[in-house]
Amino acid sequence: AKSGYDHYMLKEIHEQPRALRKCLRGRVDELTGAVDVEALDGLNPSSVQFVACGTSYHAALHGASALREAGVHAQAFLASEYATAPAPVTDDTLVVGITQSGETADTLSALREARKRGVETLAMTNVVGSTAARECDRALFIRAGPEIGVAATKTFSSQVVAANLLSASLAPQSDAREVVEALRDLPGQVQEVLDSSRAERVAEQFLDSEGYFFVGRGYHHPVALEGALKLKEITYKHAEGFPAGELKHGPLALVTEETPVFALVTGNGTEATKTVGNVKEVEARDAPVVTVTDGVSDVERYADAVLEIPETHPRVAPVLANVQLQLVAYHVAKKLGRSIDKPRNLAKSVTVE
Ligand code: M6R
């Protein structure tokens, strides 16, 4: 069943090009850049609230940013926090639950809360016939195929792509065509990363570290969180991810030569330049720097190791960057002899609140 791979997680990481092709199939017009997703027909919300947990929450953060960039009020909430002080809704608010399994209790209960408030709901899920898909008004299937490993990998990539489709469809941006073109090239680029990744070497290099930091700005912020979550989930090592700008507001006190900092930097816009500035601060404290980069900025000058990704659109780059971090987490866990597909204390779908 693992098709020759040692673990389901590695198999599922390698299934990403195929999963992404399936997610896109029939949903984009390559000539016009128009997005046509049946589940979204007739939707024109004035605001969007995402609810999700764990890795799916990181995809929700991406979706909210993409929608805001397109001029739609959008926020991402941790499902378990949604009901405490609910954000105001109007008649045309849309609540989107992102849940791979469609069975996560916290997410189901946030969606139920939304329905109680009379709001339209959409499930973005991998499982046709799941509770979320059945209970919501609409369902957008990410079509990643079954994911067995407890660590979410291919489903995150598919969720980010689906979130980009959602944003392009709800609020067509001037650059919609560029995003669509970038999405079309993405499966091939993911394959390139899989074929050339030096993540195993990096894992070996930093196996004995005390703790790991992940930093990224803008669209790389969710990936910084995701890189840390994956590492702690399957390696049991301490890892923390945060927006690069927050480093100097506290975490920098923990940065030493024993704590590698993974910095996500693509392009050479303002965000990249600022993150390179943060990288210099870290380097000055003798922390090893691993950068995940497309090589456009000069971040490599300050790095002890480089994980390369191809150039693409800023709303698509996080998927490629994240593949490198999935591989780092996998190889660290493997070298430490961890139970990769079934980490201690965790379940594939968390059906209690
Ligand atoms: O099935 P869901 O997407 O609702 O699951 C949400 C989280 O439990 C899940 O993403 C969890 O964080 C993963 N094990 C992370 O790899």
Side-chain angles (χ1 to χ4, degrees), residues 150-151 232-234 236 342-350:
V150 164
K232 60 184 112 167
E233 186 176 23
I234 62 168
Y236 315 151
K342 279 184 189 297
R344 67 185 181 202
N345 307 339
L346 300 176
K348 181 64 181 164
S349 69
V350 183

Side-chain angles (χ1 to χ4, degrees), residues 49-52 56 60 94-100 107 111 121-125 132 136 140:
Q49 299 176 352
F50 290 94
V51 293
S56 295
L94 174 72
V95 174
V96 179
I98 306 188
T99 167
Q100 181 282 129
T107 308
L111 287 166
T121 53
L122 178 134
M124 184 190 288
T125 182
C136 287
L140 172 52

Side-chain angles (χ1 to χ4, degrees), residues 9 51-58 97-108 124-127 142 147 149-153 155-156 159 226 229-230 233-234 343 346-350:
M9 182 182 178
V51 293
C53 305
T55 291
S56 295
Y57 172 68
H58 302 150
I98 306 188
T99 167
Q100 181 282 129
S101 61
E103 304 298 344
T104 300
D106 289 319
T107 308
L108 291 176
M124 184 190 288
T125 182
N126 196 29
V127 182
I142 61 169
E147 189 177 68
V150 164
T153 52
T155 55
F156 174 76
Q159 287 166 344
E226 175 60 10
L229 176 61
K230 213 90 314 173
E233 186 176 23
I234 62 168
L346 300 176
K348 181 64 181 164
S349 69
V350 183

Side-chain angles (χ1 to χ4, degrees), residues 40-251:
L40 307 176
D41 280 353
L43 262 185
N44 187 20
S46 63
S47 68
V48 176
Q49 299 176 352
F50 290 94
V51 293
C53 305
T55 291
S56 295
Y57 172 68
H58 302 150
L61 288 172
H62 178 94
S65 294
L67 277 167
R68 284 200 300 271
E69 214 188 350
V72 177
H73 288 284
Q75 287 168 282
F77 296 91
L78 286 165
S80 57
E81 292 287 323
Y82 183 67
T84 309
V89 292
T90 59
D91 285 349
D92 50 4
T93 297
L94 174 72
V95 174
V96 179
I98 306 188
T99 167
Q100 181 282 129
S101 61
E103 304 298 344
T104 300
D106 289 319
T107 308
L108 291 176
S109 107
L111 287 166
R112 285 174 192 146
E113 175 69 27
R115 264 194 316 284
K116 260 204 315 224
R117 300 166 79 199
V119 173
E120 178 151 23
T121 53
L122 178 134
M124 184 190 288
T125 182
N126 196 29
V127 182
V128 179
S130 60
T131 308
R134 280 187 283 109
E135 290 189 0
C136 287
D137 302 306
R138 299 169 185 254
L140 172 52
F141 295 108
I142 61 169
R143 306 177 181 161
E147 189 177 68
I148 311 290
V150 164
T153 52
K154 61 177 177 171
T155 55
F156 174 76
S157 298
S158 300
Q159 287 166 344
V160 171
V161 165
N164 281 340
L165 293 179
L166 178 75
S167 120
S169 136
L170 294 189
Q173 288 119 321
S174 51
D175 61 351
R177 188 162 169 178
E178 281 142 53
V179 180
V180 165
E181 269 169 27
L183 289 175
R184 185 198 54 200
D185 293 342
L186 180 62
Q189 292 183 320
V190 170
Q191 191 62 56
E192 271 177 55
V193 172
L194 294 171
D195 293 342
S196 65
S197 177
R198 298 170 67 230
E200 186 171 358
R201 289 257 302 276
V202 168
E204 182 75 55
Q205 207 175 337
F206 300 109
L207 201 56
D208 301 322
S209 303
E210 198 178 274
Y212 302 77
F213 293 110
F214 295 81
V215 297
R217 257 195 171 66
Y219 286 103
H220 287 314
H221 164 210
V223 175
L225 302 183
E226 175 60 10
L229 176 61
K230 213 90 314 173
L231 195 86
K232 60 184 112 167
E233 186 176 23
I234 62 168
T235 71
Y236 315 151
K237 294 274 223 160
H238 185 76
E240 208 186 322
F242 39 83
E246 281 297 291
L247 198 51
K248 57 187 173 303
H249 297 291

